[in-house]
Amino acid sequence: MKPFAYQRPDAAGTAVSTVAHAGAAFLAGGTNLVDLMKLGVTAPDLLVDVTGLPLRQIEPLPDGGMRVGALTANSDLATDPVLRTRFPAVALALLSGASAQLRNRATIGGNLLQRTRCRYFVDVTKACNKRQPGDGCDARDGEHRDLAVFGTQTPGGGPAPCVATNPSDLAVALVLLDARVELLTPDGTAQMSVHELFRLPGDRPDLDTNLPPGALITAVVLPPSPIARTSTYRKVRDRSSFAFAAGSVAAALDVADGTVRDVRLAYGAVAHRPWRAYAAERALRGAPATVDSFERAADEELGAARPLRDNEYKLPLIRNLTVGVLRGMTEASW
């Protein structure tokens, strides 16, 4: 590991102004960054430890929403009784990620900023546009079973420069619920939706997010939403514990008199960003709450997918997950 300097500021503004300079990085739980440093994937000159900042609060808001400090441990948020009532998909997503030990250490803000687990990204002997733009993407012709099926082509139809997937379970649930992040930047405070936070590779595959340089996530805000109380999260993985998703679905559903009044769907492990299934949502609103409707809606969304050689299995997997989750939610409401 390359030698690095270390600072532990006692004010968020100091941390941000320090990281605004090239070669510095924030350190919170360290469950991803330290691994990448050991592998030589990243080598910051300076680590700015933010764990001493007062960003661990979990605040139920009077309007029915919640505000969560970015340094809140995943395990603390997952077991919060108010969150489990108001936003159960978030609790389920958190509990499905990593192991209990890692959830005790990992933070909410850090979870959103974790980097892909694509084996070509973490292996510095392989060509990877995310690690080194212009290097190429060995994943396309190599092992890509767990990689993207959406966003694998550019708008012009050519191959996208990166086919890695976002690994965060939490991010999928937050995108489902229209959550937003509060930021402290060198220019002051700001906000953006979690959906806006993440990006497709475009011409900058090395960037995972649209965060301004030096920005620190200070909180996540979940807006009030009656449909959020019905939300859920289901994940398929190769083993029953401590594994990243092969595919996941977050869903919220409102059915009245056998008709879908409102629905939200988001998919995980299928793209460079958490994938909000807007086409499926449009197809379902006003439709009968039946298996046929659920299948047609999933097909509407998956029609835009462009799987690679070895990951086409994700299409029936996501289709079946969508139908199974929505069917279960419909039957539970009767």
Side-chain angles (χ1 to χ4, degrees):
M1 185 184 291
K2 170 186 167 183
F4 58 88
Y6 172 87
Q7 292 183 17
R8 194 170 190 264
D10 56 6
T14 304
V16 168
S17 62
T18 303
V19 171
H21 299 289
F26 292 119
L27 174 68
T31 58
N32 184 212
L33 176 61
V34 173
D35 284 344
L36 295 178
M37 292 173 65
K38 290 177 180 177
L39 293 167
V41 175
T42 189
D45 297 315
L46 169 64
L47 291 185
V48 179
D49 185 343
V50 295
T51 55
L53 303 181
L55 301 175
R56 300 180 188 276
Q57 69 281 15
I58 301 175
E59 301 177 51
L61 301 176
D63 62 4
M66 292 191 75
R67 184 177 182 275
V68 181
L71 290 176
T72 302
N74 287 7
S75 55
D76 289 342
L77 183 59
T79 56
D80 183 82
V82 177
L83 180 94
R84 292 167 70 92
T85 299
R86 295 184 182 181
F87 305 100
V90 176
L92 291 169
L94 286 168
L95 290 171
S96 74
S99 65
Q101 295 92 334
L102 285 171
R103 290 194 295 270
N104 287 339
R105 182 68 181 173
T107 64
I108 298 303
N111 183 288
L112 296 180
L113 299 182
Q114 64 182 302
R115 309 214 64 189
T116 183
R117 266 54 178 197
C118 173
R119 65 180 59 190
Y120 298 95
F121 174 69
V122 299
D123 183 347
V124 296
T125 69
K126 308 299 183 185
C128 172
N129 285 322
K130 177 169 285 298
R131 196 177 60 250
Q132 184 63 49
D135 230 18
C137 176
D138 279 350
R140 279 191 167 272
D141 295 322
E143 174 54 58
H144 53 240
R145 175 182 177 272
D146 295 326
L147 301 184
V149 295
F150 289 106
T152 59
Q153 294 182 343
T154 65
C162 178
V163 293
T165 53
N166 184 287
S168 173
D169 296 293
L170 171 64
V172 182
L174 294 182
V175 164
L176 177 85
L177 300 172
D178 295 325
R180 63 184 186 273
V181 289
E182 294 181 350
L183 310 173
L184 182 62
T185 78
D187 297 321
T189 59
Q191 292 190 12
M192 67 169 59
S193 70
V194 176
H195 187 263
E196 180 188 5
L197 172 67
F198 296 104
R199 64 191 305 279
L200 293 177
D203 59 356
R204 290 295 306 273
D206 54 313
L207 298 180
D208 299 326
T209 74
N210 292 310
L211 282 179
L216 174 68
I217 296 176
T218 56
V220 172
V221 179
L222 288 152
S225 172
I227 197 174
R229 291 176 177 264
T230 71
S231 63
T232 192
Y233 181 80
R234 189 176 299 175
K235 173 179 178 178
V236 172
R237 47 194 165 184
D238 288 337
R239 60 178 186 266
S240 61
S241 64
F242 199 7
F244 294 98
S248 64
V249 172
L253 185 66
D254 178 15
V255 174
D257 299 323
T259 299
V260 177
R261 291 195 302 190
D262 195 12
V263 62
R264 295 182 189 179
L265 286 166
Y267 299 149
V270 295
H272 196 260
R273 63 186 296 178
W275 192 264
R276 183 71 181 265
Y278 288 116
E281 292 177 5
R282 290 192 294 269
L284 272 176
R285 290 191 182 101
T290 63
V291 169
D292 286 345
S293 293
F294 303 153
E295 290 175 340
R296 284 194 295 270
D299 290 341
E300 186 75 19
E301 190 68 44
L302 293 169
R306 296 293 180 269
L308 304 173
R309 182 192 65 241
D310 296 329
N311 66 0
E312 192 169 2
Y313 77 95
K314 289 198 177 191
L315 274 60
L317 185 154
I318 292 294
R319 186 181 195 262
N320 292 337
L321 266 181
T322 302
V323 173
V325 167
L326 292 176
R327 181 178 182 181
M329 297 174 77
T330 302
E331 292 172 351
S333 69
W334 290 347

